[in-house]
Amino acid sequence: MKITSYAVARPQYYDRNAVSTFFSYGATLGPHAPTQRWTTTVAAGKKLLVEQGEGFLLTVVAAAIPLRVLVQGTITDGTYLTSFIAVDIQQSANLSQCDTLVTYPGITVYAGETAYGTTYNGSATGTVGFFVGLKGTTFQS
């Protein structure tokens, strides 16, 4: 008969070789197609807990023909997508147009899954300040 002690529980995630994980991108950009600005794929034997997502948009120079601008933080397993942050505005002629969003999603990203940040400026002219970021904890499974 094997004797096992149940007195020792598995450590919490933050006690399993946890490291703080940050990804961010910020720039003032003209028109551009959807572009990934940072990306991370969780390694085998690891998990990533997404603790905070942040997105920010600010019209710097108004567009002659204002259209859609977007920052987005996305998680995918290669087949399905979900967003943990999205700031999406339809530009106007207002030079000081601004929008920001901070989320605290608590999403677990598993080995082989990918998180990435994207920017998009669909206008024909004008410039927009973009920021998209993620703060999380990477730990052993």
Side-chain angles (χ1 to χ4, degrees), residues 82-136:
T82 190
S83 295
F84 62 89
I85 187 78
V87 181
D88 186 354
I89 61 175
Q90 177 70 32
Q91 285 183 308
S92 69
N94 184 351
L95 185 62
S96 63
Q97 191 173 8
C98 179
D99 200 0
T100 187
L101 180 65
V102 178
T103 62
Y104 303 93
I107 298 170
T108 304
V109 186
Y110 295 90
E113 296 179 343
T114 301
Y116 58 90
T118 304
T119 65
Y120 169 65
N121 183 349
S123 63
T125 60
T127 57
V128 175
F130 293 90
F131 179 83
V132 60
L134 171 153
K135 192 284 180 190

Side-chain angles (χ1 to χ4, degrees), residues 38-57:
W38 53 259
T39 185
T40 184
T41 300
V42 179
K46 300 282 186 181
K47 291 180 186 174
L48 168 63
L49 177 63
V50 179
E51 298 170 7
Q52 179 181 335
E54 184 175 356
F56 173 80
L57 294 171

Side-chain angles (χ1 to χ4, degrees), residues 20-82:
S20 228
T21 304
F22 290 87
F23 295 95
S24 66
Y25 175 83
T28 300
L29 304 169
H32 62 279
T35 305
Q36 285 185 13
R37 300 301 179 172
W38 53 259
T39 185
T40 184
T41 300
V42 179
K46 300 282 186 181
K47 291 180 186 174
L48 168 63
L49 177 63
V50 179
E51 298 170 7
Q52 179 181 335
E54 184 175 356
F56 173 80
L57 294 171
L58 171 65
T59 302
V60 176
V61 176
I65 302 172
L67 293 172
R68 181 179 182 208
V69 294
L70 167 75
V71 294
Q72 185 171 15
T74 305
I75 298 169
T76 182
D77 65 357
T79 303
Y80 302 100
L81 301 169
T82 190

